[in-house]
Amino acid sequence: MKYYILFGPPGAGKGTHAGALAERYNLKHISTGALLRAEIAAGTPLGMQAKALIDDGRLVPDEVVEGMIENAFNTIKDVDGFLLDGFPRTLPQAEALDSILAARGEELTAVVSIMIPDEVVYDRIAGRALVEGRADDASPEIIGHRIETYHAQTEPLIEYYKGSGKYHEVCGHPGTIEEVRERVLSLVETL
Ligand code: ADP
């Protein structure tokens, strides 16, 4: 099985490009953000616990998302691999992923990172707010929290994965959606 991580700051375009990658390589796309939003929409206890944190631009507890990923690996069949989008987002999550994979006799295939500058994050998320209406996209203050959270907790993963030689980066800005998609697909083709 292949295990790819689609990495990058909020608004980098992970969700936008995941579909094309998943289709080309027969991967199951797993977005922890989308799974959490589904829990919120269904009004589950987990969703209710997660909502306040997400709406404030903070992360939900590591164990919550680690459980979601493990559950997905255990239940989803008939694919050639997984495309993780929005996970891992902290060093403990990255270490948990390594253990979950090791326990299955598997290992990470590659990290595909889409990089954009902070100013672009603000513009993109403000634009997306008008279309998707996500509560965590709604104000510059919350977007600011998410950028801070990214720099403090998620960005250190770049060094973690560079250490394993599995980190690969494409430029997410400037470029049209099609151009960035082509960069992502061409990169993965070389892996
Ligand atoms: P974006 O990529 O725009 O930040 P996501 O849909 O990936 O949006 O995530 C939305 C929110 O869901 C995050 O800000 C966070 O609160 C929560 N979340 C998603 N994935 C994780 C994770 N791996 N660990 C903790 N919280 C997460």
Side-chain angles (χ1 to χ4, degrees):
M1 293 283 266
K2 302 279 189 194
Y3 294 87
Y4 292 100
I5 294 171
L6 201 49
F7 186 86
K14 301 186 291 292
T16 303
H17 301 301
L21 258 185
E23 196 178 323
R24 181 175 292 188
Y25 296 100
N26 190 29
L27 309 171
K28 174 68 184 177
H29 170 214
I30 302 177
S31 158
T32 42
L35 290 175
L36 289 164
R37 284 189 288 280
E39 296 278 344
I40 293 172
T44 66
L46 192 157
M48 273 136 72
Q49 184 205 351
K51 183 173 167 45
L53 291 164
I54 292 177
D55 287 358
D56 193 33
R58 321 241 164 242
L59 298 181
V60 306
D62 290 334
E63 312 78 68
V64 171
V65 281
E66 289 161 12
M68 288 177 151
I69 293 293
E70 205 165 6
N71 180 47
F73 288 169
N74 285 335
T75 53
I76 295 164
K77 313 280 177 208
D78 299 329
V79 290
D80 294 325
F82 292 89
L83 180 60
L84 305 181
D85 161 5
F87 178 92
R89 250 179 163 97
T90 65
L91 276 173
Q93 289 178 22
E95 287 161 0
L97 176 63
D98 285 343
S99 324
I100 292 169
L101 291 177
R104 306 171 71 82
E106 302 272 15
E107 63 172 331
L108 186 68
T109 307
V111 178
V112 176
S113 176
I114 307 175
M115 271 307 137
I116 59 169
D118 287 355
E119 320 76 87
V120 179
V121 175
Y122 275 101
D123 290 351
R124 292 228 186 132
I125 295 185
R128 183 171 74 184
L130 303 174
V131 181
E132 295 183 13
R134 273 169 56 173
D136 60 340
D137 285 346
S139 80
E141 198 194 347
I142 299 170
I143 300 170
H145 278 167
R146 287 163 63 199
I147 294 176
E148 274 167 32
T149 303
Y150 169 78
H151 287 303
Q153 301 199 57
T154 308
E155 207 166 44
L157 295 183
I158 296 176
E159 287 310 311
Y160 180 83
Y161 287 119
K162 276 185 178 167
S164 68
K166 290 180 177 166
Y167 182 82
H168 307 271
E169 195 170 290
V170 301
C171 193
H173 179 87
T176 62
I177 289 181
E178 291 71 26
E179 283 164 350
V180 177
R181 177 174 300 129
E182 196 43 47
R183 287 174 204 155
V184 170
L185 291 173
S186 320
L187 165 69
V188 175
E189 204 55 43
T190 66
L191 298 177

